[in-house]
Each structure stands twice: as structure tokens, then as C-alpha cells.
Amino acid sequence: MEKPASASRTVMTQIIFPLDTNHHDTMFGGKVMEYMDKAAAIAAMRHARMQVVTASTDSLDFVAPIRVGEVIEVEAYVSWTNKSSMEVCVTVQSENLYTAERTTTVTAFFTFVALDDKGKPAKVPKVYPETEEEIRMFATAPERHELRMKRKRERQQPAKT
Ligand SMILES: CC(C)(COP(=O)(O)OP(=O)(O)OC[C@H]1O[C@@H](n2cnc3c(N)ncnc32)[C@H](O)[C@@H]1OP(=O)(O)O)[C@@H](O)C(=O)NCCC(=O)NCCS
């Protein structure tokens, strides 16, 4: 079975309060990552309709600060699938509620793995892209997958003393 990327699209909207910020009055990075991981997990479960775990996160690029009183919109969708794994594309946009100005603040790719009732990796439906952005992400995903596998292999090699 194949499902469109849009079927997993998940949008989470939050307003940033002082408790979400660091001593620079900008949003605490760990909090942004929590929201991203949650939105990505929902997108992966919407696609697989199974339990999922986070297998890895590619580099997270914080390109602009998020300030108190701004709204963030975390958007996630399954951009590519392999056998049991799903790549989820996540972007965070901040919005100034007074000026309506929107800024892309963070982007990242998460990999989730679907698990069966026994906790073993289970096959997921294939995803197909429709929009221009989805098509671009889908086309470039195998290359990112290869890099993740290379990183995993390198980590598994015993450290030289
Ligand atoms: C993710 C996990 C299930 C993979 O288990 P594993 O024994 O490595 O399983 P396999 O080698 O059979 O790989 C299963 C799938 O995971 C993918 N995978 C495993 N490690 C990966 C990594 N570091 N990055 C990306 N994908 C990964 C594999 O490519 C494979 O995908 P495919 O079926 O589409 O080919 C296992 O490592 C795990 O449970 N990790 C902990 C997850 C967790 O607790 N997350 C929350 C952390 S806070």
C-alpha cells in the first residue's frame, strides 16, 4: 500500500512563554527539539499506524532565534520510507503576532522505525510525494539515508586506543 506524504502532515502550534526560554530571552533549544520530536512521532504514527521509536536525528540547524511572545508552528511529514524506517522532515517557523512576519527558525530530518507487537522493526507503507517540496525531499532522501548508515557503521567500529 502507498500513502501520500500529505496523509502524515502534522502541525503543532505553540506560544512561547518565559518558562520556555533561556537567559537570553530566546527559546530554549531543548524545548524546540521536544516539540519537533513529538510532531515527527505523530507524523510517523499517522503514516505507519503502528508504534514508532526515534532511531536518529540529523543535524538540527537553528537558523534564527525564537523570542518570548512569538508563536511557533512545528510542521512534520513523512518524506521517505524504506522497509521499517521513515524519514520525517520537520520545520519550525516562528510568527510575530503583531507584524505577521514569519521566519523559518529550525529544520531537521528525523528517522523513525515502526515496531510490531513484539517490539521488532515492522514494514511500513511506501510514501509518495505530491508537492514540489515533497518531490525534492523524496528524491534526495536515499543520499541522506546512506550518510546515516555510514555514520552508524562508523560509530559501531571499536574505538582505537
Ligand atoms: C531503532 C531500533 C529499533 C533499530 O534497531 P536495530 O536492531 O538497529 O534494527 P535493524 O538494524 O534491523 O534496523 C531497523 C531499521 O532501523 C533503521 N535504523 C537503525 N539505526 C538507525 C539510525 N541510527 N539511523 C537511521 N535509521 C536507523 C535501519 O536502517 C532499518 O531501517 P529499514 O528497515 O527501513 O531498512 C533500535 O536501535 C532501538 O530500539 N533504538 C532505541 C530507540 C529509542 O528508544 N528511541 C527513543 C530515544 S530517546
Side-chain angles (χ1 to χ4, degrees):
M1 191 178 70
E2 294 202 4
K3 291 168 111 178
S6 58
S8 64
R9 194 168 288 273
T10 301
V11 180
M12 187 189 278
T13 307
Q14 299 278 346
I15 185 160
I16 306 312
F17 286 144
L19 278 179
D20 303 318
T21 63
N22 54 34
H23 55 287
H24 306 296
D25 275 346
T26 59
M27 191 171 177
F28 180 50
K31 196 76 191 169
V32 188
M33 284 154 72
E34 178 193 327
Y35 291 144
M36 293 173 83
D37 192 31
K38 281 184 178 164
I42 295 168
M45 288 185 76
R46 280 184 169 153
H47 181 79
R49 297 295 172 196
M50 276 184 267
Q51 55 175 326
V52 300
V53 286
T54 315
S56 75
T57 308
D58 294 3
S59 66
L60 239 89
D61 302 310
F62 293 90
V63 291
I66 303 164
R67 302 188 189 286
V68 174
E70 288 185 341
V71 156
I72 59 165
E73 209 168 81
V74 184
E75 189 174 356
Y77 67 92
V78 172
S79 43
W80 185 74
T81 50
N82 201 33
K83 290 192 276 295
S84 65
S85 64
M86 294 161 275
E87 181 192 78
V88 182
C89 176
V90 187
T91 56
V92 181
Q93 283 209 325
S94 65
E95 178 189 345
N96 180 315
L97 288 173
Y98 300 106
T99 62
E101 187 187 350
R102 290 173 81 96
T103 312
T104 298
T105 49
V106 195
T107 56
F109 292 99
F110 286 66
T111 302
F112 283 80
V113 174
L115 303 176
D116 65 15
D117 298 344
K118 297 189 177 68
K120 297 275 175 238
K123 210 164 181 296
V124 295
K126 293 217 166 301
V127 72
Y128 62 88
E130 292 173 311
T131 68
E132 213 172 281
E133 184 202 285
E134 289 166 4
I135 290 167
R136 193 160 37 86
M137 294 301 167
F138 186 86
T140 49
E143 205 175 311
R144 288 189 295 274
H145 172 71
E146 279 311 312
L147 287 175
R148 279 176 214 125
M149 294 301 98
K150 182 169 179 276
R151 201 174 65 203
K152 188 180 174 187
R153 283 194 299 276
E154 285 170 357
R155 224 185 12 249
Q156 283 168 341
Q157 279 169 5
K160 290 195 184 105
T161 49

